[in-house]
Amino acid sequence: MTGAKWAIIDGMAVRRRWFSSYSVRPVKYFGQYCPTRQVLYGGVMKTSPAAASCETENSQPATSKRQAILNAAADVFAEDGFAAASIDAIAARAGVSRQTVYNQLGDKDNLFKVVVAEITEKSSAGFFRVLDTFPVAPIDLERELTEFSALLLRKAVCDPNGRWLRKLVETEGSRFPELFETWKEYGPGKKYPAIAARLAQLTLAGHLDIEDPALAARQYMALLATDLRINQQIGRPTPDEEVDRMAREATKTFLRAFGKR
């Protein structure tokens, strides 16, 4: 059973959806592909909750069990994909029983939706923190937009939550599109319109010449992120100086197309 309400976020009316069986809250670990089962907690690398905990299942509070299940599910879905992932594998990774997984989060479909919803929320929060630095009243547009672009690459495009989501969408999206409705609503459904709104502000202020801000936003993000995402797909690390170069070149190309003449 689902519900929805409208909220105003960054000047836009958006729907926020929740499922009656869970509440959306951030989680600390989002299934980055750590071969040694390491998890990032507040900047400190630790082993995963299932491996680190010496508590018995019965001694764990319900919230800890739920979090352990979500952590384990993020791992298993990332490693095996949705189709091959099993509740038994998730339960074993979390250190709980199969029945506990069902009691806490329902079947595999619902568990996947919860994981995607929480990771999408976390990824979106990071994106909007970066978006707050967008140069809406620039003195030197090229320099300030380049600085923003570099920050967006480092803090949003390189965000491990976003990378987890893109990996799952690439591998599972065509087979299970219904599982990514929350991602579509909270991910591209929020981010691209927010970028478009900032570009429209620059256009109204006379800094840019854009007829379709929504299209320009998609083109800007494509220019900015393509090379970095190729590196991510092949597992190639991107040095800081290369990130800066990508930001400079994307900004120059974008301003050649949309700069005020």
Side-chain angles (χ1 to χ4, degrees):
M1 180 175 179
T2 63
K5 65 180 180 180
W6 288 93
I8 302 300
I9 300 176
D10 290 309
M12 298 177 293
V14 299
R15 267 192 321 182
R16 300 179 64 84
R17 179 178 301 160
W18 69 94
F19 292 85
S20 59
S21 59
Y22 72 94
S23 60
V24 174
R25 62 172 68 91
V27 297
K28 293 180 179 177
Y29 171 64
F30 300 107
Q32 283 311 291
Y33 319 106
C34 306
T36 58
R37 311 305 327 132
Q38 289 182 318
V39 184
L40 182 62
Y41 283 86
V44 179
M45 297 303 293
K46 299 181 180 180
T47 54
S48 64
S53 176
C54 61
E55 298 177 326
T56 65
E57 181 185 345
N58 290 335
S59 69
Q60 291 178 326
T63 54
S64 295
K65 290 180 184 178
R66 182 182 188 279
Q67 193 62 68
I69 294 166
L70 291 173
N71 294 344
D75 263 353
V76 173
F77 286 132
E79 294 167 3
D80 300 340
F82 175 79
S86 70
I87 293 294
D88 287 334
I90 292 168
R93 184 75 59 91
V96 301
S97 69
R98 175 187 179 90
Q99 189 58 46
T100 297
V101 176
Y102 284 114
N103 291 343
Q104 289 280 332
L105 290 151
D107 61 14
K108 187 171 77 168
D109 280 18
N110 193 63
L111 177 57
F112 187 82
K113 290 175 183 177
V114 175
V115 171
V116 169
E118 294 201 1
I119 295 178
T120 302
E121 281 283 305
K122 184 71 171 180
S123 177
S124 294
F127 171 84
F128 280 102
R129 283 194 295 269
V130 175
L131 193 63
D132 286 341
T133 70
F134 188 93
V136 292
I139 297 173
D140 183 338
L141 177 59
E142 182 171 344
R143 177 182 61 80
E144 294 176 46
L145 188 58
T146 298
E147 291 172 354
F148 169 79
S149 298
L151 185 63
L152 189 63
L153 282 174
R154 288 191 173 93
K155 300 296 185 180
V157 179
C158 290
D159 168 51
N161 304 302
R163 291 173 62 187
W164 187 95
L165 287 164
R166 287 192 296 274
K167 178 68 175 177
L168 264 292
V169 171
E170 288 169 4
T171 58
E172 306 289 359
S174 61
R175 290 187 290 175
F176 307 101
E178 70 281 359
L179 299 178
F180 291 94
E181 290 302 317
T182 302
W183 171 79
K184 287 194 299 183
E185 181 175 346
Y186 285 104
K190 285 173 60 178
K191 293 177 182 178
Y192 287 171
I195 289 285
R198 270 54 173 195
L199 296 178
Q201 284 181 270
L202 291 178
T203 300
L204 289 173
H207 297 290
L208 297 175
D209 184 8
I210 295 176
E211 293 183 2
D212 185 345
L215 175 61
R218 295 194 298 273
Q219 291 173 335
Y220 167 72
M221 291 301 294
L223 284 169
L224 187 61
T226 296
D227 288 344
L228 184 59
R229 287 178 177 166
I230 289 173
N231 285 351
Q232 291 173 345
Q233 287 172 345
I234 63 176
R236 177 183 179 273
T238 305
D240 281 347
E241 58 270 21
E242 192 169 341
V243 172
D244 291 334
R245 178 190 59 77
M246 292 174 182
R248 285 194 305 272
E249 292 180 354
T251 300
K252 286 181 180 179
T253 301
F254 183 80
L255 291 179
R256 287 192 196 105
F258 297 108
K260 195 71 175 180
R261 291 168 177 79

